[in-house]
Amino acid sequence: MNTHNSLKIVAFACLAFAAAVVVLGETGALHNGVLAGRQPIEFVVQLVMSVLTLLAVPVALRLMQTRTVRRKLRVRADSYGRMALLRWLLLWVPMMADVVCYYLFMKVAFAYLGIILLLAMVFVFPTQQRWNNETKQQDE
């Protein structure tokens, strides 16, 4: 199995896991609102998640264009898969934390942060065209 297919499998598995958590939360299988009403904890968690989201999106979107990554990919072409996986996880991990926080606090702000990260994932989803463009860019 090549790297491109592996990245797609990871991406779909991550999205399926996120969807499963949402389904469990919406059906009541998870304990919703356990931390609702705890203002100090909620404020700190929301602040941290907002900062993580604001940092993760531009870093993930520009990761392959940085000089350091381009130099690394020129030296080792097989490291593209790891960098693409890192880029995907930079968005997925905070999104999952936002989903969990949404169900813990039942605050829609966490859902909005998760939606922002989900929309950013559209621009880094591992497609064949993206793979070709980014690896071709490294050859030049």
Side-chain angles (χ1 to χ4, degrees):
M1 180 181 313
N2 63 17
T3 306
H4 172 67
N5 288 336
S6 300
L7 288 171
K8 278 185 125 172
I9 289 171
V10 168
F12 282 123
C14 290
L15 292 175
F17 183 74
V21 171
V22 169
V23 167
L24 289 174
E26 292 300 322
T27 58
L30 299 177
H31 298 290
N32 296 340
V34 173
L35 296 176
R38 296 189 178 175
Q39 302 293 331
I41 296 172
E42 179 184 325
F43 173 76
V44 171
V45 172
Q46 189 169 359
L47 179 69
V48 169
M49 292 311 301
S50 297
V51 170
L52 280 176
T53 298
L54 291 174
L55 290 175
V57 170
V59 168
L61 292 177
R62 298 288 299 168
L63 183 66
M64 295 300 186
Q65 282 77 35
T66 61
R67 217 175 301 165
T68 308
V69 172
R70 282 188 291 178
R71 195 175 318 122
K72 183 176 182 176
L73 291 177
R74 265 188 240 126
V75 174
R76 290 191 54 165
D78 62 334
S79 62
Y80 177 82
R82 283 184 296 218
M83 297 310 289
L85 180 62
L86 172 67
R87 178 171 61 177
W88 183 260
L89 292 177
L90 272 171
L91 296 173
W92 183 75
V93 170
M95 186 193 75
M96 282 308 302
D98 284 327
V99 168
V100 170
C101 287
Y102 171 72
Y103 289 110
L104 286 176
F105 293 102
M106 291 309 293
K107 283 289 191 181
V108 75
F110 293 110
Y112 292 146
L113 292 173
I115 290 169
I116 290 168
L117 290 162
L118 184 63
L119 289 173
M121 285 180 180
V122 170
F123 298 104
V124 299
F125 192 80
T127 62
Q128 187 66 43
Q129 183 178 3
R130 179 166 289 112
W131 171 274
N132 292 338
N133 290 341
E134 290 175 345
T135 54
K136 184 181 99 177
Q137 175 187 3
Q138 305 311 322
D139 294 338
E140 296 174 354

